[in-house]
Amino acid sequence: MLAFVLFLAIALGFALAAVYAERKVSAFIQDRYGPMEVGYKGLAQTFADIIKLLLKEDIIPSAADRKLFILAPVVIFTSVLAGYAVLPLSPDVIGSNAQVGVFFLLTIISLDVAGILMAGWASNNKFSALGALRAVAQIISYEIPLTLTVLSVVMICQTLNLQEISFQQGIWMNSMEVYSNEHNYLFGIKALGIDVTMTGGILTWNIVRMPLFFIAFIIFFISSLAESNRAPFDIPEAESELVAGFHTEYSGFKFAFLFLAEYSMMLLVCFLAAILFLGSWNTPLPNIGAVKLANWTSGAPGTLAGNVWGAFWLLSKAFFLIYIQMVVRWTYPRLRVDQLMKLSWKVLTPAALIILFISGVWRLLMI
Amino acid sequence: MKKGKTLLDDISEAISSLTSGLKITLSHFVNARKHRKPIGIENKDYFAQDKGIVTLQYPLETIPIPDNGRCRLYNEIDDCIVCDLCAKICPVDCIEIEAVKSTEEIGKTSDGTTKRLYAAKFDIDMAKCCYCGLCTTVCPTECLTMTKTYDYSEFDITNMVYHFTDLSPEQAEQKKKDYEEKQKQKQATKVESAVVEIDKNKGNTEDIALKDKPEAKEEKPEVKPAAKPVFKPVIKMTPKPPTPPKNEGEEPEKK
């Protein structure tokens, strides 16, 4: 319950902050100031926007399929928020410690597609329908490399539980019963004989435990951009061609809801990337001899310090990834449909398959 | 497309171009710590900063306008002789002047020209103005000038009409009456003198009444200091009237 409240608050607060951050980041990249008028340096801009949005008339087109039209935003937001259920925020705060965590997460966020299709279809509008079709084609194509990279991580970690994956990537691994006798070796290779279990920090992150995961991480990141319909993969809502894509007909509160779902999705995939590849809630600073940086910047699971540090590191990593997403959005032009499909099927999927294969072999070196 | 290499070539090209793109945007992001200062072109540092935020937050920061900025018109009515030249030359007819003849000399402008007309109305409609500056060049006493003020939009379009007269409507009405009375008196004395005799006098008074004053104003535009010697004889001499109108007509055409 605590995790639900925290994640809901984080998702809502994040949507507000991220809209502001997005406008500021884009402004700085384009040598502008961005919002400056509402509040100090424009800080209250998003609040003004959201108030305006909520006060707007909630229009349902007369030719729309009324039931589906109303249901679609709910389905989209619910499926995204449900994904947060299996994410660990800190060593002790997790919604559901389900053993099938990753599997559940990938499944439930796929429901998002159904919601988008509902929204596009129910709007009875050519832009909405085209946008929804593109969204579905894109999300389904990119789910394959995404899932393959996640599968590689699962093969290395030998678990679907996100909390267990988190514990494996830091100095507190042995405090978990299942892993009390496990050891982390540098680059995951036992033959090297360098035990980094107690060194922790960046050395035990999945991205270092299996160096090829750097490529897997990039594949995951690109696919997650496509999953959350972010530029440069925003053809489902390409404003220059499709007005606003599947949510063209939505206004007022429903639009705010869809917008919230979109930003929650961004945050969700960034959390997932941080958990799977970047050491989850573990500190990036390793213990070096007597300088116990890792111990100083994290607390034991079960203590308040451990949870606060854990949440701090995980949120920092997720927000850093969000920042990268924003910079990417304001750097690259939108991909054409054929380029989009080519990237997914001819580049990312084969590369992910190769990494999946190597991961299997790597796992043999780890035991 | 050649066989074999193409896909890998594509990938490596994509990676290098994507990273260089990211470098550009990140460098702009980092440089956004600095921003332009509101300095004008006359400042030697004007071109010094080629990085960082270029926006000026307009109402809060403004680039200084040079003192010879050619923006809103301003008429110093104390120096205005109500010659109507500005209104005549204005290509968009945004200046409206109604002159009332004075019974006596009103005073001197700051450059010493005698004022003989009241401006019952001196309106400039800045909404019509095209900022050509012709009115300021023809102004004989240089009372009509362009100022640095450029931000003076109004919610009500009628507020764009600037009234420069120093007379209230009542005062203007009074001046008109005064002049008419004076005219009547003159008429009366004229009739008397006519009875006595002499055509010369008669012609003279008429000229003074009807043509002298416009004539006087129209002469001044040409040369201010020189105008004065020319001016005085005009009052007495009848043949002059034709010439000043000519001059006045020629001048605008030439320009």
Side-chain angles (χ1 to χ4, degrees), chain A residues 88-91 172 201 205 270-271 274-275 278-286 293-299 305-321:
Chain A
L89 182 61
S90 66
W172 307 108
W205 289 9
C270 286
F271 267 134
I275 290 169
L278 303 182
S280 191
W281 38 257
N282 289 297
T283 168
L285 306 168
L293 286 175
N295 288 66
W296 295 339
T297 54
S298 61
N307 285 306
V308 173
W309 274 113
F312 168 75
W313 286 120
L314 184 58
L315 285 173
S316 317
K317 288 167 191 175
F319 291 156
F320 175 71
L321 290 176

Side-chain angles (χ1 to χ4, degrees), chain A residues 196-207:
Chain A
V196 290
T197 317
M198 284 303 134
T199 312
I202 198 168
L203 296 178
T204 45
W205 289 9
N206 272 341
I207 208 165

